Amino acid sequence: MSPNHAADADASGDARYWALQGLKGLFSVPALILMTAHVGFAGLARGAGIDWMEATFMVATIWALPANIVLIGAVTAGTSLAGTALAVALSSLRLMPMVVALMPELRGARTRTLLFLSHFVAVTGWVFAMRTLHEVPRRHRTVYFGAFGGSLCLINAVIVAIAFNLLSQLPALATGALAFLTPVYFLCSLYGSAREPSGRIGLFTGMAALPVANWLDPSSDILVAGLAGGIIAYVAGRIVETRVGA
Amino acid sequence: MSPLGYHDIAAAWWPYAFILLAGFLPTDVWRWLGVLFAGRVSETSQAIAFARAIATSLVAAVIARLVLVPDGPLAAVPTIARIAALAIGFAVYLLAGKRIIAGILVAEAILVGAAFAFT
């Protein structure tokens, strides 16, 4: 606490310090797993007949691995522009409550800055921010998060560009194994970052609700399962908390 | 075939326009709405906790979809093997003191082993 307090006097040097701390996050296990998962995405894109520049552009502009996987699936199926946009919108809707949950940590920043930084909210950046932002002085939080999120997005775009061109054709098993990284990584990462019982319960209710929602309507299964699972988890979490509290 | 598909307009710029309109826009619009909405939401911890529960559950639905109804080569591995790999990988993650890398390695070993055994 006291070293930070002393460093507060030199504002610009301090900002550089926190930007560097954000960059250090690139060497964390979650960031490295995400980079490996993007090698798998390069293999998936190649298999779908998308060129390397388009795949790189997707990673940089969309920056949400599930949305990119949905997009590749729609491109392979020859889905129309409107149909693809709807499918991607349904898979990306989860980002809105994630951003809402993150905003109290970044309160005080300008709206323009927040709109720009929100592009880097995806599972890895969100978990990283929810875990570590409270240790960062409030006025350096945007620099810290921007340094991590921006560089993570850029590096993964570069990784897709390189992997696409180096791995001329990945064997199907390797692409499958790399694709499987994403669900396992998301599950462990979100469980570890859950702050209250409802977060942990939500992981299981959301997963359990998906087969039912998929059977009802495959095109909106994620939305239906996520909302139903989330509401059940919130109510269950409140009950658990009041029991423990009482 | 279908109008305005990814491969339907033979111009160099079309795939990029398609990615922006059908990928970037329908994704980032939610992020922007999140920023704008957060300013209006009352700063009670319960409202934020509710948003967290919904966000987590939506990602959980994505996880289940990737495992249960996968696109691409993963579909060749039997569903039960995919579920077992996720469940056992997660159990190992917990037993190993929440070490993500332990969960990942075990899940991948089971998945690849099953792929060899069943194909």
Side-chain angles (χ1 to χ4, degrees):
Chain A
M1 267 294 147
S2 50
N4 286 348
H5 198 74
D8 260 355
D10 180 7
S12 72
D14 219 18
R16 224 171 293 141
Y17 170 81
W18 286 108
L20 203 65
Q21 296 305 304
L23 285 174
K24 275 189 189 162
L26 291 178
F27 300 98
S28 62
V29 170
L32 296 173
I33 293 171
L34 185 69
M35 293 175 202
T36 316
H38 272 90
V39 175
F41 175 74
L44 197 67
R46 190 180 256 278
I50 287 162
D51 81 23
W52 72 271
M53 284 189 292
E54 293 159 16
T56 305
F57 188 70
M58 279 181 188
V59 171
T61 58
I62 298 171
W63 192 233
L65 201 44
N68 269 319
I69 294 168
V70 168
L71 179 59
I72 296 262
V75 167
T76 312
T79 312
S80 69
L81 180 76
T84 307
L86 183 66
V88 170
L90 288 173
S91 106
S92 295
L93 195 145
R94 67 191 166 83
L95 295 166
M96 188 174 88
M98 288 172 93
V99 171
V100 170
L102 180 63
M103 283 304 113
E105 313 281 338
L106 293 171
R107 206 176 29 207
R110 289 157 75 182
T111 306
R112 242 192 308 169
T113 311
L114 293 175
L115 286 172
F116 171 70
L117 287 180
S118 74
H119 182 65
F120 305 116
V121 175
V123 167
T124 306
W126 190 68
V127 167
F128 178 83
M130 299 296 273
R131 268 185 121 127
T132 60
L133 269 182
H134 65 93
E135 297 162 2
V136 180
R138 200 162 266 285
R139 63 208 178 84
H140 296 305
R141 287 183 182 179
T142 50
V143 168
Y144 173 81
F145 179 67
F148 176 72
S151 61
L152 188 67
C153 179
L154 190 69
I155 279 197
N156 278 289
V158 172
I159 283 174
V160 167
I162 294 172
F164 195 106
N165 288 298
L166 279 188
L167 314 166
S168 51
Q169 192 69 63
L170 275 176
L173 179 59
T175 311
L178 288 168
F180 201 68
L181 278 175
T182 305
V184 183
Y185 160 57
F186 278 10
L187 179 58
C188 297
S189 188
L190 280 175
Y191 188 88
S193 74
R195 290 189 179 182
E196 59 257 306
S198 62
R200 286 185 286 273
I201 299 167
L203 274 172
F204 297 100
T205 52
M207 285 194 290
L210 187 97
V212 183
N214 185 263
W215 175 73
L216 288 172
D217 177 14
S219 65
S220 63
D221 54 356
I222 288 172
L223 177 64
V224 171
L227 289 178
I231 291 167
I232 296 168
Y234 178 74
V235 173
R238 293 282 289 173
I239 293 168
V240 171
E241 275 171 4
T242 44
R243 284 231 180 118
V244 173
Chain B
M1 200 171 55
S2 49
L4 293 180
Y6 193 81
H7 300 292
D8 288 346
I9 295 181
W13 53 265
W14 173 246
Y16 297 97
F18 190 95
I19 292 166
L20 287 178
L21 292 172
F24 163 74
L25 209 57
T27 298
D28 267 35
V29 109
W30 296 117
R31 293 176 168 128
W32 301 330
L33 284 174
V35 172
L36 301 175
F37 188 69
R40 293 163 184 270
V41 91
S42 56
E43 286 280 325
T44 67
S45 61
Q46 280 313 312
I48 299 296
F50 183 65
R52 264 204 301 271
I54 296 283
T56 307
S57 183
L58 282 163
V59 184
V62 173
I63 293 168
R65 194 170 217 278
L66 291 172
V67 172
L68 296 175
V69 267
D71 291 317
L74 258 187
V77 181
T79 308
I80 187 73
R82 282 182 256 123
I83 296 173
L86 181 75
I88 299 170
F90 180 66
V92 168
Y93 155 79
L94 291 179
L95 292 172
K98 295 195 180 173
R99 240 176 259 137
I100 295 178
I101 196 73
I104 296 260
L105 290 176
V106 169
E108 288 289 345
I110 294 171
L111 184 88
V112 172
F116 274 118
F118 292 106
T119 51

